[in-house]
Amino acid sequence: MTAITEANLPALPIETAAFSRNPDPFAAAARRIHPWIARFSQGLVVHGYQATKDLLADDQHFRPGFSPAVAFYGLQDHLWGRFMEEMLLSVSGEKHKRLRSSVAAAFTPRRANQVRPQMRKVISALLDEWAPKGSFDFAEFGAHFPVAVVLGLLGVAADVDPTIQLGLENQLSSLTFDPAAKPLFLAGWDVLWEFSDRLVIEREASGLHDPDALLDVLIEAKRKGLLDETELRFMLLVLVVAGYDTSKNMLALTMRQLIARPDAYARCAEDIAYCGKILDEALRHSSITTPYRTVCEAFEYDGFQFERGTVVVFATALAGRDPAAYENPLSFEPERNPNNRHVAFGRGAHMCLGQHIARAQLEEGLHLIAQRLRNPRLTAEPTWRPFLGTWGYKSLPIAFDPSVS
Amino acid sequence: MKITFVQVNGVEKTIEDARPGETLMILGRTHGVEGILGDCGGGCSCATCHVYVDPEWQTAVGPPDEIESATLDTVSNVLRANSRLGCQIVLRPELDGLRVTVAPSG
Ligand code: HEM
Ligand code: FES
């Protein structure tokens, strides 16, 4: 048995711009030394598909949480630090169960399907505004609808204060371990906290109550003593933060694949079920998150001993491109029908709460976009966001032929 | 207690030493029952632990609650009146002898 900290593992320069622009050559070189695990500056990176499935689902030996990032920025005593350590994604066991069950009913696939008409309305309104332009940065366009959709679920007016979007934009940059990110995400944090605090106070003062509005469900949970004041606000924030970058980046990455496949794109305009197929392959091919874990109880796996306290991140994007799991992993094949289902929504107790909402809004989004933005083409090289945090395009400049229906 | 799964490949698997308190999903996964994946670790959000409860056991097992029933929508194309999510069935002594069939993926 080898201690994982003593093992001869390759290094993955996962924080660098070159990696986020094109991780494949780095991943290929790392796989030649070890097939599923590597090092990075803060700990270990699991990048093999099978190991990702096994270990990400292991809620016994791993705890989630962003304590490494909080400590890196020295923000243990800041409210932001508390959020990063106490919100849904960071807690385990009974507390996690209690928090998750306070919102579970709003995130079932049934509920996601019920809100599809509302999603179509939001997306159509955005397209009415953006399509006549004939060209735009698709990454910027895609940033608009996830927030509107989450606010719709909460049951609050969908016209968002633009400063909130900016706050959201910078939140997950905290996971890049880049000192330059600190002032950005902290400024964003103040805006977001103020936003959720006001949302609760104003709703309570209004006396409104709508059993379908998630905000009211959460306020009710607080009245019953299931959530406290801070937990309620943290919950509102984790929903907007977790649903924002993820959905918009996934949409832009999928669009990039479709631009190269005009026939598939045309079919998306006709057939929403096909949009689901495209989306599944996109989630495999270009998944965007790198969940964080810390080993909380020593264990053995595949000949390695993992000690308590070891930081492990799971590069789901690389797991989706693992040649041991997928044939021609780099090629985008919507008809691939893999037995190996993607890991883009994670595994285990923290598996994406918003997965059904995400699917529904991305399917509806692709379907309507393909109808309204005809013949999309790239007008400049896209630029990339950091790999850690939420990977994806920073910009995806396109031109297209607007269509009214 | 004794629990029998008819796996997705049609082959029966009987587990003799199941313990009350654990869920049918965990039991199936621990014993490598084909088709019980349990992706979300029992969080009632993925429906990859879908089983059909044998009709004579339906009353003892009981119906799904509201959230479980809404999550079963994920597998609506293979849904039956006796569908349940294995992670929401906690084993108790009255279920000794239970027999379920693992549902195909939706
Ligand atoms: C395609 C889009 C999305 C992807 C790829 C994605 C991916 C993920 C992943 C991998 C996790 C697990 C993280 C971990 O284990 O540490 C997660 C958790 C989560 N996601 Fe998503 N997500 C998406 C969209 C959304 C949306 C739209 C929402 C909300 C409306 C959302 C809300 C959440 C929440 C609240 C959690 C934490 C769950 C928990 O800790 O129990 N996600 N997501
Ligand atoms: S394990 Fe996910 S719903 Fe049962």
Side-chain angles (χ1 to χ4, degrees), chain A residues 351, chain B residues 25 29 37-50 71 85-88:
Chain A
M351 189 178 192
Chain B
M25 183 280 283
R29 218 170 55 175
L37 303 171
D39 282 356
C40 75
C44 200
S45 48
C46 70
T48 62
C49 59
H50 177 198
T71 300
L85 292 176
C87 68
Q88 303 303 303

